[in-house]
């Protein structure tokens, strides 16, 4: 039962990154990121309940609550506040049109399937499927980051990469040591705070957060 | 059907003929009902009373009484198109069994044939719209050509995925495989393909995000623009054909993703009746779902439709990819 739920959730997480790639507006990037984090929290919750019932371990449940607090509530809220305080002229900030971007993402999933199909130890079946899906989320996050010009889009891309790494680690190891999880979370919060601050500064200096304009600084 | 003398026809052939007749009657009688239900649900959500559910039957009856006016510059395509559209819709309806208890063994054919048959009807509809050289006809058929060419790959990929899971391209076989799957929409592959097919149904049956079936507004109409020139009997056939085609797609969806026949343990005539009733219940449910989707979305502009088509293609493609990642094993 929990295996079935986990595999469905891993497909939904992959799908949510496709939805993110197909979004046009920064407010919908933040919404999609929030949904993806909620799905990851659900996956952590499923694993947490299982480990609680089987081994009596509480740590994955705590991680699940931390994901909800940080990635579903705090970070999207912070990004929303940054977004509200930044002036925008034009919202369209992607380099290719949406269908092509999304089709390239399909190619990325095929790519990660072919790279992971031959790994020893990842047997056929469920675990392999979850691994391919979550590694694809990393690739799609990276591609999202390079396909968007505005700083906020790139922050979301980084957060998606991080989500992908996190879900890969969680599904592959069935729960990492608690201290590693905490370390990742603290890193993440620091990153988001610094990037938010930098975005504010960029907006002050250039009246825009389009990172293409940073090219003007070259001598 | 080698031996046609009375009394020598095998039991199986008799059953098949009976099944074909049941299939045709159910499809023909239920098809206008779906449109009526969707309109009624939409009206109820908007706090209106709405037209009666059987309105389309009255409309068809009225249209069949009238003479059809044909432009004198039109060619034979204009007059043949309504019959071809209706005939292809019926042929499509024969390929998709309304219930796996009713599988006419006399009719071979698979989903590739279904897609091509429906494409034939669509081709003639587009050609007929161009025939009288009216401005709206040309506009409508160019839009229809764009939408159908975008949607067709995802139909094929989605149905191929289900075909791979069931090991056969024949639609009855695919539906019989699903019967033993348990609850298919919880399975990752079926989930993706199901979502893709939902988008395909919306696009193929001219529902709101793609086309607005209830208005004759120049900016929005696609299907309506193509049949604008028709009147009387021809119009009735085209409307009826569209309704049958809509029911074909809904049948495909509900029988592939909400299997019901494993609930019926006994065989025989009672099982067929029970199975048909359950089928009609599923169609009603699906009509309500489509109406709710239609109420909750807005009409996309024409150039956003490629995004929707890309989404449905990607869902179908992810479905086929998950199938291969799972090692291609059968559920």
């Amino acid at each position: 039962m929990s295996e079935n739920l986990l595999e469905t959730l891993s497909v939904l997480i992959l799908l949510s990154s496709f939805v993110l790639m197909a979004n046009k507006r920064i407010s919908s990037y933040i919404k999609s990121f929030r949904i993806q984090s909620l799905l990851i929290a659900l996956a952590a919750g499923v694993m947490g309940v299982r480990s609680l019932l089987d081994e009596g371990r509480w740590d994955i449940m705590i991680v699940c609550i931390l994901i909800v607090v940080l990635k579903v509530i705090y970070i999207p809220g912070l990004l929303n506040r940054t977004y509200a305080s930044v002036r925008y002229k034009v919202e369209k900030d992607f380099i290719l049109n949406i269908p092509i971007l999304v089709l390239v993402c399909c190619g990325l999933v095929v790519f990660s399937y072919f790279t992971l199909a031959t790994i020893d130890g990842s047997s056929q079946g469920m675990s392999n499927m979850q691994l391919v899906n979550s590694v694809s989320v990393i690739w799609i996050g990276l591609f999202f980051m390079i396909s968007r010009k505005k700083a906020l889009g790139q922050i979301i891309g980084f957060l998606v990469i991080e989500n992908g790494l996190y879900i890969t680690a969680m599904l592959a190891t069935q729960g990492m040591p608690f201290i590693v999880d905490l370390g990742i979370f603290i890193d993440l919060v620091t990153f988001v705070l610094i990037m938010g601050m930098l975005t504010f500064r960029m907006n002050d200096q250039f009246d825009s957060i389009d990172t293409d304009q940073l090219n003007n600084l070259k001598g | 059907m080698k031996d046609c003398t009375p009394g020598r026809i095998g039991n199986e052939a008799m059953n098949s003929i009976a099944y074909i007749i049941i299939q045709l009657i159910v499809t023909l009688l239920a098809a206008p009902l779906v449109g009526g239900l969707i309109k009624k649900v939409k009206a109820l959500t908007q706090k209106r009373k709405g037209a009666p559910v059987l309105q389309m039957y009255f409309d068809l009856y009225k249209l069949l009484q009238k003479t059809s006016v044909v432009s004198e510059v039109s060619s034979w395509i204009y007059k043949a198109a309504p019959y071809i559209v209706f005939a292809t819709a019926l042929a499509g309806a024969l390929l998709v069994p309304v219930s796996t208890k009713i599988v006419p063994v006399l009719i071979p054919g698979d989903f590739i044939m279904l897609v091509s048959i429906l494409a034939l009807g669509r081709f003639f509809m587009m050609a007929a719209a161009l025939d009288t050289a009216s401005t709206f006809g040309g506009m409508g058929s160019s839009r229809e050509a764009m939408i159908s060419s975008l949607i067709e790959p995802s139909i094929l990929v989605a149905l191929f995925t289900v075909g791979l899971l069931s090991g056969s391209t024949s639609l009855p076989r695919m539906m019989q495989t699903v019967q033993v799957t348990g609850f298919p929409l919880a399975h990752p592959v079926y989930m993706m393909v199901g979502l893709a097919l939902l988008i395909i149904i919306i696009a193929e049956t001219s529902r709101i995000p793609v086309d607005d079936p209830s208005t004759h507004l120049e900016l929005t109409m696609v299907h309506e623009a193509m049949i604008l020139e028709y009147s009387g009997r021809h119009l009735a056939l085209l409307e009826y054909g569209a309704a049958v085609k809509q029911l074909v797609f809904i049948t495909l969806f509900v029988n592939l993703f909400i299997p019901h026949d494993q609930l019926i343990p006994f065989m025989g005539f009672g099982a067929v009746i029970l199975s048909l009733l359950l089928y009609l219940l599923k169609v009603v449910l699906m009509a309500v779902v489509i109406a709710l989707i239609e109420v909750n979305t807005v009409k996309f502009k024409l150039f956003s439709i490629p995004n929707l088509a890309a989404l449905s293609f990607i869902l179908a493609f992810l479905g086929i990819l998950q199938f291969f990642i799972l090692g291609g094993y059968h559920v």
Side-chain angles (χ1 to χ4, degrees):
Chain A
M1 181 62 201
S2 69
E3 273 301 315
N4 208 344
L5 258 176
L6 276 183
E7 91 200 30
T8 308
L9 279 173
S10 95
V11 178
L12 283 178
I13 289 166
L14 179 62
L15 190 61
S16 70
S17 53
F18 273 90
V19 170
L20 181 80
M21 188 53 109
N23 280 335
K24 276 184 189 159
R25 297 198 166 76
I26 289 183
S27 54
S28 37
Y29 298 167
I30 298 170
K31 211 178 287 168
S32 308
F33 170 72
R34 186 173 262 170
I35 291 169
Q36 189 177 49
S37 309
L38 193 66
L39 287 169
I40 288 175
L42 270 177
V46 170
M47 293 181 66
V49 167
R50 196 172 56 186
S51 77
L52 186 66
L53 291 181
D54 291 352
E55 304 161 37
R57 281 165 59 198
W58 279 93
D59 52 349
I60 305 184
M61 284 310 282
I62 297 171
V63 166
C64 169
I65 294 165
L66 271 176
I67 295 175
V68 171
V69 171
L70 277 179
K71 286 188 186 168
V72 182
I73 299 167
Y74 178 67
I75 293 177
L78 192 78
L79 290 173
N80 266 327
R81 257 175 285 142
T82 313
Y83 173 56
S85 63
V86 161
R87 281 182 299 259
Y88 269 115
K89 306 291 183 289
V90 184
E91 284 260 359
K92 185 174 182 260
D93 70 333
F94 30 87
I95 48 170
L96 293 168
N97 63 7
I98 296 277
I100 292 178
L101 284 179
V102 175
L103 286 176
V104 173
C105 289
C106 271
L108 287 176
V109 183
V110 177
F111 173 71
S112 59
Y113 166 59
F114 276 111
T115 47
L116 292 174
T118 51
I119 288 182
D120 287 341
S122 85
S123 56
Q124 290 290 334
M126 295 306 163
S127 62
N128 193 11
M129 167 177 164
Q130 290 165 357
L131 196 65
V132 171
N133 288 344
S134 32
V135 172
S136 307
V137 174
I138 303 176
W139 287 117
I140 292 174
L142 195 60
F143 187 55
F144 185 86
M145 214 169 158
I146 60 173
S147 73
R148 260 58 180 184
K149 289 181 193 162
K150 299 271 164 63
L152 267 175
Q154 292 165 358
I155 296 174
I156 299 266
F158 183 85
L159 290 171
V160 171
I161 296 176
E162 203 275 336
N163 266 354
L165 279 170
Y166 195 83
I167 194 77
T168 309
M170 198 167 69
L171 290 174
T173 61
Q174 307 290 314
M176 285 180 290
F178 189 50
I179 192 79
V180 179
D181 282 333
L182 274 186
I184 291 175
F185 283 131
I186 291 167
D187 264 3
L188 187 68
V189 174
T190 324
F191 163 77
V192 172
L193 283 175
I194 292 173
M195 281 309 286
M197 221 98 83
L198 279 179
T199 312
F200 272 127
R201 291 285 296 160
M202 267 173 74
N203 186 44
D204 274 355
Q205 296 286 319
F206 306 123
D207 280 341
S208 157
I209 54 170
D210 193 338
T211 47
D212 274 1
Q213 295 194 14
L214 292 177
N215 282 334
N216 297 340
L217 296 175
K218 278 194 296 196
Chain B
M1 289 287 287
K2 281 169 237 148
D3 192 358
C4 283
T5 49
R8 295 289 303 276
I9 297 177
N11 205 13
E12 197 173 317
M14 280 299 287
N15 270 344
S16 295
I17 293 168
Y19 285 162
I20 290 173
I21 293 169
I22 292 175
Q23 166 106 17
L24 269 184
I25 289 173
V26 168
T27 320
L28 282 180
L29 286 184
L33 190 69
V34 179
L37 263 174
I38 293 177
K39 278 193 188 124
K40 189 77 177 175
V41 173
K42 276 179 75 178
L44 288 177
T45 53
Q46 292 159 356
K47 299 261 162 70
R48 287 188 286 124
K49 209 173 145 204
V53 176
L54 302 180
Q55 183 62 45
M56 196 172 171
Y57 297 95
F58 308 145
D59 285 351
L60 288 175
Y61 179 72
K62 187 186 73 184
L63 284 173
L64 284 173
Q65 307 288 313
K66 301 198 170 191
T67 51
S68 36
V69 181
V70 179
S71 158
E72 55 189 23
V73 293
S74 62
S75 68
W76 62 272
I77 291 180
Y78 183 81
K79 271 167 267 175
Y83 299 99
I84 294 175
V85 169
F86 187 66
T88 51
L90 268 191
L94 278 176
L95 286 178
V96 181
V98 291
S99 152
T100 45
K101 292 275 176 217
I102 307 176
V103 177
V105 288
L106 289 183
I107 298 180
D110 52 12
F111 67 83
I112 302 172
M113 191 164 161
L114 173 77
V115 172
S116 358
I117 283 178
L118 292 178
L120 179 72
R122 188 187 290 124
F123 170 75
F124 269 94
M125 196 188 251
M126 294 193 300
L130 289 169
D131 190 36
T132 53
S134 80
T135 43
F136 283 115
M139 189 190 71
S141 45
S142 87
R143 289 180 182 176
E144 175 81 5
M146 179 188 124
I147 293 171
S148 59
S149 61
L150 287 171
I151 287 293
E152 212 128 280
S154 48
I155 308 179
L156 284 174
V157 174
L159 290 177
F160 256 120
T161 313
V162 185
L164 279 171
L165 276 168
S166 58
S168 159
T169 55
S170 125
L171 285 163
R173 186 68 55 77
M174 278 151 71
M175 288 170 188
Q176 279 159 359
T177 315
V178 176
Q179 299 293 330
V180 292
T181 317
F183 186 58
L185 283 179
H187 187 270
V189 180
Y190 279 109
M191 186 176 69
M192 291 288 151
V193 176
L195 288 173
L197 266 184
L198 198 63
I199 296 175
I200 290 166
I201 288 175
I202 286 166
E204 281 283 320
T205 61
S206 320
R207 290 280 142 206
I208 256 187
V210 178
D211 179 8
D212 195 345
S214 57
T215 63
H216 285 82
L217 191 66
E218 182 186 347
L219 283 170
T220 61
M221 60 183 175
V222 179
H223 179 76
E224 296 297 325
M226 286 194 293
I227 62 175
L228 206 58
E229 296 270 304
Y230 282 99
S231 56
R233 199 173 60 244
H234 290 157
L235 181 60
L237 279 176
L238 283 172
E239 296 271 8
Y240 208 174
V244 171
K245 193 177 138 193
Q246 171 169 317
L247 186 64
V248 166
F249 274 103
I250 290 177
T251 307
L252 193 64
F253 184 86
V254 294
N255 278 355
L256 279 181
F257 298 105
I258 319 170
H260 65 283
D261 282 344
Q262 80 273 31
L263 299 174
I264 306 166
F266 60 93
M267 295 293 287
F269 193 63
V272 171
I273 299 289
L274 194 60
S275 163
L276 281 180
L277 285 178
L278 280 172
Y279 161 73
L280 285 179
L281 186 72
K282 289 193 299 185
V283 170
V284 169
L285 267 178
M286 192 64 200
V288 173
V289 168
I290 289 178
L292 290 179
I293 292 174
E294 198 162 310
V295 167
N296 285 311
T297 46
V298 289
K299 167 88 176 65
F300 285 175
K301 63 176 179 178
L302 194 68
F303 294 109
S304 292
I305 292 173
N307 290 357
L308 194 72
L311 181 64
S312 83
F313 177 75
I314 280 147
L315 285 165
F317 184 80
L318 279 184
I320 210 168
L321 205 64
Q322 300 297 326
F323 169 80
F324 282 116
I325 293 171
L326 284 170
Y329 79 101
H330 292 227
V331 273

